[in-house]
Amino acid sequence: MIAPLRAPSTPWSTGLTLTGFALVVTVVTIVAFGLELGRVHPLLAVIVNLVAAAGITPTLWWWRRVPVWRWIVAGVAAGVPVGWIVLLGATTF
């Protein structure tokens, strides 16, 4: 008798760690670049952030199906809006 094939288990601890790391790196990058570009001109910071987000979206959409990259995609996808909120909060003070 042949045993049924089991799907491999999902590595939640490793995946969530990778997601958290990608989220933190994304937030720090957005805030650091946004603050420096905001010193030049605030509109420049907004435009560069929107262009960067629009540019990375197709790549993230493609990577979301790859087993390891899907964790990074989740972190970056969550990190972009969090980074924008933190950047907005940092520039108002």
Side-chain angles (χ1 to χ4, degrees):
M1 178 173 200
I2 298 175
L5 295 176
R6 286 182 38 192
S9 64
T10 303
W12 285 99
S13 61
T14 306
L16 291 176
T17 302
L18 189 57
T19 299
F21 181 76
L23 183 131
V24 169
V25 168
T26 302
V27 169
V28 169
T29 302
I30 287 174
V31 171
F33 284 135
L35 287 175
E36 291 303 315
L37 288 173
R39 289 182 184 176
V40 176
H41 196 283
L43 186 59
L44 179 65
V46 171
I47 291 171
V48 168
N49 269 297
L50 291 176
V51 168
I56 199 167
T57 300
T59 302
L60 293 178
W61 190 257
W62 182 264
W63 284 352
R64 68 185 169 83
R65 294 186 181 164
V66 180
V68 174
W69 285 103
R70 66 182 172 185
W71 297 104
I72 296 172
V73 169
V76 173
V80 169
V82 170
W84 286 348
I85 291 168
V86 171
L87 180 59
L88 184 61
T91 56
T92 58
F93 293 111

